[in-house]
Amino acid sequence: MAADLPPSTSLQPPTNKRLDWRTIPWWLVAIGLIIAFMGFRIISDPEYTRIFETILTGLGTTLMVTGVSFICALILGLVLGLGRVSRNLILRNLSIGYIEFIRGVPILVLIFTISFAIVPALSNGIGLNASNISLTARAIIALVLIYAAYIAEIFRAGIESISRGQMEAARSLGMTHGQAMRYVILPQAFRNVLPALGNDLIAILKDSSLVSVLGVREITQVSRLSVSSSFKYEETYFILTAFYLTMTLVLSLLLQWLQRKMSSNVH
């Protein structure tokens, strides 16, 4: 009977766990305090409020450039990644050549080259007027072409991390190579590369500031224009830093949550 059991055999979990200070994410606390301090300054100081509202006008462009660039780069990167591991000699060498070319040139140089040389040349080649292509569209094209190369390497590593036995087992069940890749290899590879893809999404968000050199009115460009007219360097760049810090922190926490969710579903 349960009443006869000694106290040590109770199945109730202990409820008075002591907080271990070593498990507290102090880095998150520190960043949160910085963001909270900047939020207080924005609310309490009219000058900070005005600059915040000015920078906020470029936030939509920053998020749009980042989101569209990442989705398109993900698709192109997957195609390049499949070409990278293809048994077709031409496809494999074309993919490797493209990836090595992109990785061998600084991102800022590539943004200038793609926006002012490659896009006009290609548009003129197919009979389009290059002046009709906006600077925002050129910036997105540049980020897509650049980050597709980095994402291709991530997919390549993910595909190669799956054991050959998985492919052989799928083929033994009668699947074609394409079906085995689509239904067996890629789902597992995608789960393995999710953290790396998250890092690239954050990297695109930060590198979207580089397209300010094209005159795209995202938050960095709006901040530069605000500084040139007000000379409020300290206030403007502190707020701009807080903007990027908040966005990257939110993205990082969301990705960590998604990763834990997927891991729990697997187990």
Side-chain angles (χ1 to χ4, degrees), residues 12 48 52 126 145 154 187 193 232 243 246:
Q12 293 297 323
Y48 272 77
F52 172 78
I126 58 177
L145 294 179
I154 293 174
V193 303
K232 299 289 184 182
F243 257 102
T246 304

Side-chain angles (χ1 to χ4, degrees), residues 69-86 91-103 143-161 181 186 189-190 193 196-198 200-201 204:
S69 300
F70 180 70
I71 293 171
C72 295
L74 202 61
I75 297 170
L76 182 57
L78 177 59
V79 173
L80 288 168
L82 290 173
R84 181 77 169 77
V85 297
S86 172
L91 285 178
R92 189 169 68 249
N93 278 279
L94 283 175
S95 299
I96 294 173
Y98 179 83
I99 292 167
E100 293 302 325
F101 175 82
I102 294 294
R103 292 170 64 181
L143 289 176
V144 169
L145 294 179
I146 293 166
Y147 269 92
Y150 294 103
I151 291 176
E153 279 297 273
I154 293 174
F155 276 121
R156 192 265 311 159
I159 292 169
E160 290 182 347
S161 70
M181 188 65 77
L186 285 181
F190 183 77
V193 303
L197 291 178
D200 264 18
L201 174 58
I204 291 179

Side-chain angles (χ1 to χ4, degrees), residues 33-207:
L33 288 174
I34 293 172
I35 294 173
F37 174 74
M38 287 306 303
F40 172 76
R41 291 298 302 269
I42 291 168
I43 293 172
S44 61
D45 190 322
E47 192 62 40
Y48 272 77
T49 303
R50 186 191 64 77
I51 295 171
F52 172 78
E53 291 173 349
T54 302
I55 296 177
L56 194 62
T57 60
L59 182 61
T61 303
T62 293
L63 295 178
M64 185 271 291
V65 168
T66 301
V68 174
S69 300
F70 180 70
I71 293 171
C72 295
L74 202 61
I75 297 170
L76 182 57
L78 177 59
V79 173
L80 288 168
L82 290 173
R84 181 77 169 77
V85 297
S86 172
R87 289 174 295 186
N88 185 299
L89 185 64
I90 296 175
L91 285 178
R92 189 169 68 249
N93 278 279
L94 283 175
S95 299
I96 294 173
Y98 179 83
I99 292 167
E100 293 302 325
F101 175 82
I102 294 294
R103 292 170 64 181
V105 182
I107 291 179
L108 189 58
V109 175
L110 284 170
I111 288 174
F112 281 127
T113 305
I114 293 170
S115 301
F116 297 123
I118 295 178
V119 170
L122 290 178
S123 58
N124 291 332
I126 58 177
L128 295 176
N129 188 350
S131 60
N132 292 333
I133 302 175
S134 69
L135 290 174
T136 302
R138 298 184 194 204
I140 292 173
I141 292 170
L143 289 176
V144 169
L145 294 179
I146 293 166
Y147 269 92
Y150 294 103
I151 291 176
E153 279 297 273
I154 293 174
F155 276 121
R156 192 265 311 159
I159 292 169
E160 290 182 347
S161 70
I162 308 301
S163 68
R164 288 188 177 183
Q166 298 276 332
M167 174 62 80
E168 292 168 358
R171 296 301 299 272
S172 67
L173 292 174
M175 292 186 184
T176 64
H177 185 274
Q179 288 173 329
M181 188 65 77
R182 189 163 66 248
Y183 297 120
V184 178
I185 304 298
L186 285 181
Q188 299 180 73
F190 183 77
R191 189 174 60 245
N192 292 343
V193 303
L194 187 61
L197 291 178
N199 290 336
D200 264 18
L201 174 58
I202 293 173
I204 291 179
L205 173 62
K206 292 190 294 183
D207 284 345

